[in-house]
Amino acid sequence: MITRNRKLIAPVVFLFLLGCSQIGIAQKRKGNTVYFDTTIAADATPAVLAQFMKSDAKSIAEMKFEKGIYHFYPDKGFEIYAQLSNHNNGLAKTAFPIFNMKNLTIDGQEATFIFHGINIPFSVENSQNIKVMNLSIDWGMSFHSEGKIVAVDPVKKTFDMQIADEYPYEIRNGQLIFIKEYYEHNIGQSILFDPKTTAISYDTEAYTSLTTRTKVKTQHNVKNIKYKYPVDPKAPENSRVGMEDKLVVEQLQPGLLRVFNHGKKIPEVGKILTMKGEQGQNRFAPAFHVVASQNFEANNVNVHHACGMGIIVENSENLTLDNFNVTPSQGRMVSTTADATHFVGCRGKITIKNCTFNNQLDDAVNVHGTYQEVVDVLGENSIGIKVGHYQQQGFSIGVPDDTIGLVNLHQSFFEYDKLTLKSIEKINSRYQIVTFKEKIPSSLKKGDYIENLSAYPELLVQNCTISKNRARGLLLSTPKKIVVENNYFATEMEAILVPVESGYWYESGSALDLTIRNNTFQDCNIGGQNRGIIRFETDDESKNVAFKNILIENNKINQFDDLILEVNNTDGLRFKGNTISNSGTFKMIYPENPAFSIKTSKNIIFENNKYLGKANPILKTDGSVPNLKFK
Amino acid sequence: MITRNRKLIAPVVFLFLLGCSQIGIAQKRKGNTVYFDTTIAADATPAVLAQFMKSDAKSIAEMKFEKGIYHFYPDKGFEIYAQLSNHNNGLAKTAFPIFNMKNLTIDGQEATFIFHGINIPFSVENSQNIKVMNLSIDWGMSFHSEGKIVAVDPVKKTFDMQIADEYPYEIRNGQLIFIKEYYEHNIGQSILFDPKTTAISYDTEAYTSLTTRTKVKTQHNVKNIKYKYPVDPKAPENSRVGMEDKLVVEQLQPGLLRVFNHGKKIPEVGKILTMKGEQGQNRFAPAFHVVASQNFEANNVNVHHACGMGIIVENSENLTLDNFNVTPSQGRMVSTTADATHFVGCRGKITIKNCTFNNQLDDAVNVHGTYQEVVDVLGENSIGIKVGHYQQQGFSIGVPDDTIGLVNLHQSFFEYDKLTLKSIEKINSRYQIVTFKEKIPSSLKKGDYIENLSAYPELLVQNCTISKNRARGLLLSTPKKIVVENNYFATEMEAILVPVESGYWYESGSALDLTIRNNTFQDCNIGGQNRGIIRFETDDESKNVAFKNILIENNKINQFDDLILEVNNTDGLRFKGNTISNSGTFKMIYPENPAFSIKTSKNIIFENNKYLGKANPILKTDGSVPNLKFK
């Protein structure tokens, strides 16, 4: 056993207090409630941290804040090595380090918390019954930047953008770098917003992302470097090899920039270009990180920004977001720079209701498990696994006694055997030794995947508004009961994606009991990708069944384009009582599409639907469902 | 108290083994000795790690290796968040994770260990009586690169260099990037070697470092970004703001590059340019990291390379390096890319004998304490301190019961008061709360420094060869007894520097009992800096005494240039029985210098020396030592 216990040297896990800490700021404590007032507002970090550091911190039941605006600077903030699924792992400060605590409510009483730097507002780990309510979260300077397109030159294929003072920048060797307090980013991933609608701009994918990179012209002997083990070509340290910058930016006058060498369509005058830095290097501080915790709740919380997601939840059980809103502030087009909410390896029930998820630069809700790849068989009971995606580094697939499925996706989307988890030894961020209680079957092969069958949640998404954002509404990858009802969708890509995906994100979990009812879909897929607004999709070529028991009923779909529903690899789907109309809001991008595409599926039923759209034919199938008719 | 105990999620500190680990490779264990043979040599990492992970690992007394060449890859290596003084903190693998162990000997039996990637071969933490012997350490691909100057154009001010196949590269937007397995670096810090001598090239400082950076031409509103607290302008994340690349590199043909825009003298044909990447971003994996440990010993160990230092030792007690050699291999000019050895905050006795430190890209030995800056007074017994240098992040100044000095360097180099350390709470890498047993005196002010008076070692440097390296031989900052005898010095900068430095590196410790005897100094300071080969120096303008009780006797100094000894801020120095001659090896760079410069000092004695050099006058003083004569 390796124990590494550097008592005075490792803040990352243990903070040893020999004696009671007197930070010098006395907050009022009455019984088990701590009251903060605005005298701490200039930098609330030390006062809040002091409460968590007290030897009796675990008995605090409530922290209440006087209404006001509180700033949280990172300089004296508690630092952790943050392992964040779907973000970058790294050092971060955290203002509310809620570790190993129970029955704690943070009540902002309508306060606003303004964060600065790489600062995770709420880190909830190994805790139960934590509730956060009545507050707004924002950052002083955003982790993204915006520019207004003010002129174009279609001949020279350049465009000019005006940059407001709140986005300081410099140009290094022709590269535009935005400078923030404690942060900087290049153009990286970009997308257009339409200030008239404050939503993503129609057909943006024809214009963005800006083509920032191209292959190097000169490389010598790099391809001969030998690696003993496979490397992940998508991890940023590898994907940058062989690439150089393509765009060149020049300043015409202070605050006015000209962009050269963009290879897609030139953005239109009047649109807002938002830029957030290089993929894989732009997610360092979600607003909420919840891991290995039970019964977390957020109520009446507004998240206006984050360096990454609004909330990322890992390996937790039972969670409620009620009136948890991700919306922009301060005149920005953008709220959070990544997903509004994201749940990996959770169990119990996730309830998301009465929420608004607008203007974030990625999906609204993503619920899934993970696949990990078997790379070694080590003895009778143990295997060595490799983490597939560089943003899952350090992720623990489960806890002892979980049921782990062994999967060969080429054969089937469902497990061919199951074992009981005994232990996980994490050797490094990418490699873990997983030991089972039973002997490993001889059928297990290197290259197979494991999946935690015990770590999938039920999901309710109810009465939410999901609009104006980049990417999708809901990504649903759990076999437990899912109900999506009474929501409003107006998303840049699909409103609802039901995927099984193993080649890139390693996200597991097929939908086996899904109800989508009484929702309104208003002009989704405006970004320009050729997809249905509801899609069932695997990234495999196989014809195996992935999805079952799908009910889509009584929804109103008012869509400018034709393709509504794509069904693949499904056994059992009812599309019933829905009304589809053509909104006419935008020019159709793919007028040749049908409304419904059904492939490699069976037991598909249409009944009692009203179609008022323009697709012809309405239904297109591949012969797996002969005689299927739209009704 | 904040306890963060993510049992299955934090490999950084705790690795929980529920049940005995069977990694599948059985090494022979006889009693308390483990034998490894070369069947594991293709990647020795898992087999070695397996031994450390066994529940009875702590009873291992010896690990022996069959003689041979063993490779250590990082892919299945144990990962830690490494906090390394004078290096970059970050994730690293470590092949020998010696944590909380005692009485363990690693005997290579003349084996060679070849490492790959960011891999710290030996991490020794909280351990006692650890001994490493009889082995060589190297890397498959080096973390630096070399180019041979083959042509120059003095009119266009360009030069051409030939790059051998072992240094793969690419050019991104005119920038030369060397690609390694698991690593890359730009030109960054560079220096010239002379292949005829395999030493640093004469007067290199007129030619190098290559002038890689320049100020940006375009910056908008960056200066208006408001920071609540002072930022460290030297930390890489800040020092890169406002700077861009200046050099441009083009490939003439594969393996032949032309460099444009270098602003110093153009390197000469035939010389070797070594490049190691950006300062502050090129030290990730020393060969040995020893922290909070007692009685460490290395005997008959050859370190041919590291991404950083040969050995960095922090907060440890009693250490012996005997026949511990840092030398290049595989035809490289360079051994380690930073210091051969470095000791911070140590106590007891450090013995360095029979060692060779050649060709490393920084000092041979540096022994010092640290200053930390008082930024807050928090209550009667506690202060908030800030770590001064970005490569000291996370450094713990001491342990409970240590005597901490309060220092105001403007008034004196010695403490004005002392307190007893009770506890340290590390809030983040830069900010710590230090609590004392006594009340803090009212004389303590923000901006003062603290210094750990209990954490200074005695030092013996004996019978060592220190030559061909960049920078200095010995840096000596400890008030305990230091003896430097029977060594050979031929260094690029000073052979011996005795500094008190507070403005950049925050290294504390004045020499108060130093003997330098029977050494040979052969052409030091060849790099071209205007300095004595032995220097006593503070970076303060003050006239206060820093150094005492210095004896320099019976040394042979054969030096091409004039200036031998610089003495500042010293009370009590005897220079006795030394022979100084002019070697004639190189043309003098500073022929106007005296041999001896004495300033702001007293009680300086010269006796029985022989001067055969060319300086005139021999001795120059500032009046603090009237009537001083050289004898």
Side-chain angles (χ1 to χ4, degrees):
Chain A
M1 175 188 307
I2 301 178
T3 55
R4 184 177 184 232
N5 192 354
R6 296 174 65 190
K7 287 194 201 305
L8 289 173
I9 299 173
V12 176
V13 176
F14 276 90
L15 194 72
F16 284 88
L17 251 180
L18 305 174
C20 195
S21 163
Q22 297 290 350
I23 303 298
I25 302 168
Q27 294 306 304
K28 284 179 285 185
R29 176 151 173 183
K30 293 185 185 173
N32 289 333
T33 300
V34 177
Y35 294 89
F36 295 99
D37 60 39
T38 54
T39 56
I40 69 168
D43 183 3
T45 303
V48 170
L49 181 58
Q51 292 301 322
F52 284 96
M53 285 171 62
K54 287 194 187 305
S55 49
D56 58 354
K58 289 202 195 308
S59 66
I60 299 173
E62 205 171 11
M63 288 181 171
K64 283 169 123 58
F65 286 80
E66 177 186 2
K67 180 174 176 176
I69 298 177
Y70 297 79
H71 288 266
F72 289 83
Y73 287 90
D75 304 70
K76 296 177 186 174
F78 186 65
E79 188 174 62
I80 56 174
Y81 185 78
Q83 291 192 295
L84 310 162
S85 186
N86 298 82
H87 289 68
N88 297 87
N89 294 346
L91 287 183
K93 309 309 196 303
T94 184
F96 288 79
I98 303 171
F99 304 146
N100 305 301
M101 298 179 82
K102 300 182 209 248
N103 308 324
L104 170 66
T105 297
I106 315 284
D107 183 354
Q109 301 192 115
E110 307 301 334
T112 296
F113 293 170
I114 308 244
F115 291 88
H116 301 262
I118 301 305
N119 209 336
I120 301 170
F122 292 91
S123 295
V124 179
E125 300 183 8
N126 279 309
S127 297
Q128 294 83 40
N129 306 327
I130 308 300
K131 185 170 176 177
V132 178
M133 50 197 241
N134 304 327
L135 64 90
S136 296
I137 290 170
D138 204 345
W139 259 261
M141 291 186 83
S142 65
F143 296 99
H144 81 294
S145 305
E146 304 184 4
K148 183 164 187 171
I149 313 299
V150 294
V152 301
D153 185 332
V155 173
K156 295 189 179 152
K157 304 207 80 189
T158 68
F159 64 91
D160 300 349
M161 55 179 180
Q162 201 163 60
I163 309 289
D165 280 352
E166 73 219 61
Y167 304 113
Y169 63 82
E170 64 190 28
I171 297 179
R172 298 179 196 156
N173 303 105
Q175 299 309 301
L176 177 58
I177 309 291
F178 290 99
I179 310 290
K180 318 290 184 181
E181 30 170 19
Y182 313 100
Y183 192 74
E184 62 178 55
H185 72 81
N186 62 3
I187 289 175
Q189 295 177 285
S190 56
I191 200 163
L192 288 168
F193 278 79
D194 186 337
K196 296 193 195 103
T197 58
T198 68
I200 298 282
S201 186
Y202 167 73
D203 203 23
T204 186
E205 303 280 347
Y207 301 82
T208 57
S209 280
L210 297 189
T211 53
T212 54
R213 316 271 284 143
T214 187
K215 284 190 176 164
V216 294
K217 299 171 209 53
T218 302
Q219 201 183 59
H220 179 61
N221 233 20
V222 172
K223 302 263 184 282
N224 293 334
I225 295 172
K226 304 258 177 293
Y227 286 88
K228 185 167 178 63
Y229 299 100
V231 290
D232 177 2
K234 301 191 189 84
E237 63 270 18
N238 300 319
S239 63
R240 78 169 63 106
V241 177
M243 302 298 289
E244 62 175 26
D245 297 311
K246 177 178 172 169
L247 297 181
V248 172
V249 177
E250 285 179 13
Q251 178 174 271
L252 302 178
Q253 29 173 302
L256 183 63
L257 303 175
R258 178 161 292 170
V259 180
F260 298 78
N261 301 340
H262 173 50
K264 292 173 100 166
K265 282 173 83 164
I266 300 300
E268 296 166 326
V269 170
K271 297 290 163 68
I272 306 282
L273 182 73
T274 65
M275 299 155 278
K276 70 177 184 180
E278 219 56 55
Q279 185 174 29
Q281 298 169 64
N282 56 25
R283 299 178 177 189
F284 293 95
F288 288 83
H289 180 219
V290 178
V291 58
S293 296
Q294 294 80 35
N295 304 321
F296 175 82
E297 187 175 337
N299 193 317
N300 187 25
V301 170
N302 300 306
V303 175
H304 293 307
H305 193 66
C307 183
M309 301 184 176
I311 179 168
I312 169 73
V313 185
E314 312 177 46
N315 299 345
S316 294
E317 184 170 1
N318 297 335
L319 184 137
T320 299
L321 303 178
D322 185 352
N323 195 13
F324 177 94
N325 307 304
V326 174
T327 55
S329 66
Q330 308 188 50
R332 300 172 186 149
M333 283 294 118
V334 168
S335 53
T336 57
T337 64
D339 310 27
T341 77
H342 196 114
F343 306 83
V344 51
C346 293
R347 60 190 84 193
K349 184 159 183 187
I350 295 172
T351 302
I352 303 173
K353 55 186 183 178
N354 311 317
C355 300
T356 298
F357 302 132
N358 279 353
N359 294 76
Q360 74 276 5
L361 290 177
D362 218 311
D363 313 319
V365 179
N366 187 345
V367 178
H368 65 91
T370 52
Y371 290 123
Q372 294 181 331
E373 182 182 339
V374 179
V375 294
D376 291 309
V377 179
L378 307 164
E380 289 190 329
N381 300 76
S382 295
I383 56 174
I385 66 92
K386 186 177 81 175
V387 162
H389 192 277
Y390 64 89
Q391 283 183 339
Q392 282 174 2
Q393 292 188 73
F395 183 78
S396 205
I397 203 173
V399 295
D401 295 326
D402 278 350
T403 302
I404 304 298
L406 310 181
V407 178
N408 181 326
L409 287 178
H410 300 299
Q411 295 168 2
S412 167
F413 292 104
F414 304 102
E415 71 280 0
Y416 62 82
D417 207 334
K418 303 183 202 188
L419 297 169
T420 311
L421 182 61
K422 184 174 182 186
S423 67
I424 297 175
E425 298 162 69
K426 296 173 89 179
I427 307 300
N428 63 51
S429 309
R430 287 269 198 178
Y431 185 76
Q432 304 174 9
I433 295 169
V434 179
T435 301
F436 302 102
K437 294 189 168 168
E438 305 88 352
K439 288 201 174 99
I440 292 161
S442 54
S443 48
L444 179 68
K445 299 283 178 287
K446 291 189 195 183
D448 285 354
Y449 289 169
I450 59 171
E451 176 188 6
N452 188 344
L453 303 174
S454 303
Y456 286 112
E458 287 186 34
L459 175 66
L460 170 65
V461 182
Q462 185 188 66
N463 199 33
C464 294
T465 297
I466 296 171
S467 63
K468 311 191 185 208
N469 62 302
R470 177 188 166 268
R472 303 166 184 91
L474 313 180
L475 283 80
L476 307 171
S477 302
T478 168
K480 298 286 171 73
K481 185 178 167 70
I482 308 173
V483 174
V484 176
E485 61 182 5
N486 298 332
N487 304 289
Y488 174 88
F489 295 90
T491 52
E492 185 237 342
M493 297 184 190
E494 304 96 297
I496 299 175
L497 176 63
V498 186
V500 170
E501 188 280 316
S502 65
Y504 185 73
W505 285 103
Y506 292 79
E507 294 180 358
S508 69
S510 297
L512 301 180
D513 179 358
L514 167 59
T515 301
I516 300 171
R517 68 176 167 231
N518 298 330
N519 302 286
T520 301
F521 299 85
Q522 177 67 45
D523 291 317
C524 299
N525 265 341
I526 59 157
Q529 304 228 353
N530 188 358
R531 299 172 179 165
I533 65 163
I534 299 174
R535 248 172 117 216
F536 294 80
E537 162 86 1
T538 74
D539 62 345
D540 226 287
E541 294 299 322
S542 85
K543 297 185 177 359
N544 297 321
V545 170
F547 315 111
K548 296 181 183 176
N549 292 323
I550 314 297
L551 172 61
I552 305 176
E553 73 171 342
N554 296 337
N555 299 286
K556 284 193 174 40
I557 303 171
N558 194 22
Q559 180 66 11
F560 74 97
D561 217 333
D562 275 336
L563 186 56
I564 303 302
L565 176 65
E566 288 183 77
V567 178
N568 301 283
N569 305 83
T570 301
D571 175 2
L573 182 147
R574 288 175 76 201
F575 191 86
K576 174 183 169 194
N578 302 290
T579 303
I580 300 107
S581 46
N582 187 296
S583 70
T585 315
F586 302 107
K587 181 177 168 191
M588 289 167 113
I589 304 178
Y590 302 101
E592 70 284 2
N593 277 340
F596 303 92
S597 164
I598 317 288
K599 295 182 187 171
T600 58
S601 297
K602 55 188 177 185
N603 297 318
I604 310 295
I605 297 171
F606 288 92
E607 51 182 344
N608 284 339
N609 299 293
K610 272 205 206 115
Y611 186 76
L612 308 166
K614 298 188 178 177
N616 187 2
I618 292 173
L619 173 63
K620 199 165 170 188
T621 74
D622 69 346
S624 61
V625 275
N627 305 322
L628 180 62
K629 284 188 173 23
F630 176 77
K631 292 185 228 169
Chain B
M1 177 187 306
I2 300 177
T3 54
R4 184 177 184 232
N5 192 356
R6 295 172 67 190
K7 287 194 198 309
L8 289 173
I9 298 172
V12 176
V13 177
F14 276 91
L15 193 72
F16 284 89
L17 252 180
L18 306 172
C20 195
S21 163
Q22 297 289 349
I23 303 298
I25 302 169
Q27 295 306 302
K28 284 179 286 184
R29 175 149 174 185
K30 293 185 185 174
N32 289 334
T33 299
V34 177
Y35 295 89
F36 295 98
D37 60 38
T38 54
T39 56
I40 68 168
D43 183 4
T45 303
V48 170
L49 180 59
Q51 293 299 322
F52 284 96
M53 285 171 62
K54 287 193 187 302
S55 50
D56 59 354
K58 289 202 193 312
S59 67
I60 298 173
E62 204 170 12
M63 287 182 172
K64 284 169 125 56
F65 286 79
E66 177 186 2
K67 181 174 176 175
I69 298 176
Y70 296 79
H71 289 267
F72 290 82
Y73 287 89
D75 305 71
K76 296 178 188 174
F78 186 66
E79 188 174 62
I80 56 175
Y81 185 79
Q83 290 191 295
L84 310 161
S85 185
N86 297 82
H87 289 68
N88 297 86
N89 294 347
L91 287 183
K93 309 308 196 301
T94 184
F96 289 79
I98 303 172
F99 304 147
N100 304 302
M101 299 180 82
K102 303 184 207 251
N103 306 324
L104 170 65
T105 296
I106 315 284
D107 183 353
Q109 300 190 117
E110 308 300 334
T112 296
F113 293 170
I114 308 244
F115 291 87
H116 301 264
I118 301 305
N119 209 335
I120 301 171
F122 293 91
S123 295
V124 180
E125 299 181 10
N126 278 312
S127 296
Q128 295 82 41
N129 306 328
I130 308 300
K131 185 169 176 178
V132 179
M133 50 196 241
N134 304 327
L135 63 89
S136 296
I137 290 170
D138 203 346
W139 259 262
M141 291 186 84
S142 66
F143 295 100
H144 81 295
S145 305
E146 304 185 4
K148 183 165 188 170
I149 313 299
V150 294
V152 301
D153 186 333
V155 174
K156 294 188 179 154
K157 304 208 82 190
T158 68
F159 64 91
D160 301 348
M161 56 179 178
Q162 200 161 60
I163 309 290
D165 280 352
E166 72 220 60
Y167 304 113
Y169 63 83
E170 65 189 28
I171 297 179
R172 298 177 195 159
N173 304 105
Q175 299 310 301
L176 176 58
I177 309 291
F178 290 99
I179 311 290
K180 319 289 185 179
E181 31 170 16
Y182 312 100
Y183 192 73
E184 63 178 54
H185 71 83
N186 62 4
I187 290 175
Q189 296 177 285
S190 56
I191 200 163
L192 288 168
F193 279 79
D194 185 337
K196 297 195 194 99
T197 58
T198 68
I200 298 283
S201 186
Y202 167 73
D203 203 23
T204 186
E205 302 282 346
Y207 301 83
T208 57
S209 279
L210 297 189
T211 53
T212 54
R213 317 271 284 141
T214 188
K215 283 190 179 166
V216 294
K217 299 172 208 55
T218 302
Q219 202 183 59
H220 179 62
N221 231 19
V222 173
K223 302 263 185 283
N224 293 334
I225 295 172
K226 305 256 177 297
Y227 286 89
K228 186 168 177 62
Y229 299 100
V231 289
D232 177 3
K234 301 192 189 83
E237 64 271 18
N238 300 320
S239 63
R240 77 169 65 106
V241 177
M243 301 299 288
E244 62 176 24
D245 297 310
K246 178 178 171 166
L247 297 182
V248 172
V249 177
E250 286 179 12
Q251 180 175 270
L252 302 178
Q253 29 174 303
L256 183 63
L257 303 174
R258 178 162 292 171
V259 179
F260 297 77
N261 301 340
H262 174 50
K264 292 173 102 167
K265 283 172 85 163
I266 300 298
E268 296 167 326
V269 170
K271 297 291 164 68
I272 305 282
L273 182 73
T274 66
M275 300 155 277
K276 69 178 186 180
E278 219 56 57
Q279 183 173 30
Q281 297 169 65
N282 56 26
R283 299 179 177 189
F284 294 95
F288 288 83
H289 180 220
V290 178
V291 58
S293 296
Q294 294 80 36
N295 304 322
F296 175 82
E297 187 176 338
N299 193 318
N300 187 25
V301 170
N302 300 305
V303 174
H304 293 307
H305 193 67
C307 184
M309 300 183 177
I311 180 168
I312 170 72
V313 185
E314 310 176 49
N315 298 345
S316 294
E317 184 170 0
N318 295 335
L319 184 136
T320 299
L321 303 178
D322 185 351
N323 196 12
F324 177 93
N325 307 303
V326 174
T327 55
S329 65
Q330 306 188 51
R332 299 171 186 151
M333 284 294 118
V334 168
S335 53
T336 57
T337 64
D339 311 27
T341 77
H342 195 114
F343 305 83
V344 51
C346 293
R347 60 190 84 191
K349 184 159 184 186
I350 296 172
T351 303
I352 303 173
K353 56 185 184 180
N354 310 318
C355 300
T356 297
F357 302 132
N358 280 353
N359 294 76
Q360 74 276 6
L361 290 178
D362 218 311
D363 313 319
V365 180
N366 187 346
V367 178
H368 63 91
T370 51
Y371 291 122
Q372 295 181 332
E373 181 182 340
V374 179
V375 293
D376 291 309
V377 178
L378 306 165
E380 288 190 329
N381 301 75
S382 296
I383 56 174
I385 66 92
K386 186 177 83 175
V387 162
H389 191 277
Y390 64 88
Q391 283 183 341
Q392 281 175 3
Q393 292 187 73
F395 184 77
S396 205
I397 204 171
V399 295
D401 295 328
D402 278 351
T403 302
I404 304 300
L406 310 181
V407 178
N408 180 325
L409 288 178
H410 301 298
Q411 295 168 1
S412 168
F413 292 103
F414 303 103
E415 71 279 0
Y416 63 81
D417 208 334
K418 302 184 202 190
L419 296 169
T420 310
L421 182 62
K422 184 175 183 188
S423 67
I424 297 175
E425 298 161 68
K426 298 173 87 177
I427 307 301
N428 62 51
S429 310
R430 287 270 197 178
Y431 185 75
Q432 304 175 9
I433 295 169
V434 179
T435 301
F436 302 101
K437 294 189 170 170
E438 304 88 352
K439 289 202 173 94
I440 291 160
S442 54
S443 49
L444 179 69
K445 299 284 180 283
K446 291 189 194 181
D448 285 354
Y449 289 170
I450 59 170
E451 176 187 5
N452 188 345
L453 304 175
S454 303
Y456 286 112
E458 287 186 33
L459 175 65
L460 171 65
V461 182
Q462 184 187 67
N463 199 33
C464 293
T465 296
I466 297 171
S467 63
K468 310 191 185 207
N469 61 303
R470 177 188 166 268
R472 303 165 184 92
L474 312 180
L475 282 80
L476 307 172
S477 303
T478 167
K480 297 286 171 69
K481 185 178 168 69
I482 308 172
V483 175
V484 176
E485 61 181 7
N486 298 333
N487 304 290
Y488 174 87
F489 295 91
T491 51
E492 185 238 342
M493 298 185 189
E494 304 96 299
I496 299 176
L497 175 64
V498 186
V500 171
E501 187 280 315
S502 64
Y504 184 74
W505 285 104
Y506 292 79
E507 294 180 358
S508 70
S510 297
L512 301 180
D513 180 356
L514 167 59
T515 300
I516 301 171
R517 68 177 167 229
N518 298 330
N519 302 287
T520 301
F521 299 85
Q522 177 68 46
D523 292 315
C524 298
N525 265 342
I526 58 157
Q529 304 228 354
N530 188 0
R531 300 172 179 167
I533 65 164
I534 299 175
R535 251 173 114 215
F536 294 81
E537 161 87 1
T538 73
D539 63 345
D540 226 286
E541 294 299 321
S542 85
K543 297 187 180 352
N544 297 322
V545 170
F547 315 110
K548 297 181 183 176
N549 292 324
I550 315 297
L551 172 60
I552 306 177
E553 74 170 343
N554 297 338
N555 300 287
K556 284 192 170 44
I557 303 170
N558 194 22
Q559 180 65 13
F560 75 97
D561 216 334
D562 275 334
L563 186 56
I564 302 301
L565 176 65
E566 288 184 78
V567 178
N568 301 284
N569 305 82
T570 301
D571 175 2
L573 181 146
R574 289 174 75 199
F575 192 87
K576 175 184 168 190
N578 303 289
T579 303
I580 300 106
S581 47
N582 187 294
S583 69
T585 314
F586 302 107
K587 181 178 170 191
M588 288 168 115
I589 304 179
Y590 301 101
E592 69 284 2
N593 276 341
F596 303 92
S597 163
I598 316 288
K599 296 180 184 169
T600 58
S601 297
K602 56 189 176 185
N603 296 318
I604 310 296
I605 297 171
F606 288 91
E607 52 182 343
N608 284 339
N609 301 294
K610 271 204 206 120
Y611 186 76
L612 308 166
K614 299 186 175 177
N616 188 2
I618 291 175
L619 173 64
K620 199 165 172 189
T621 74
D622 70 347
S624 62
V625 275
N627 306 321
L628 181 62
K629 284 188 172 21
F630 176 78
K631 292 184 227 169

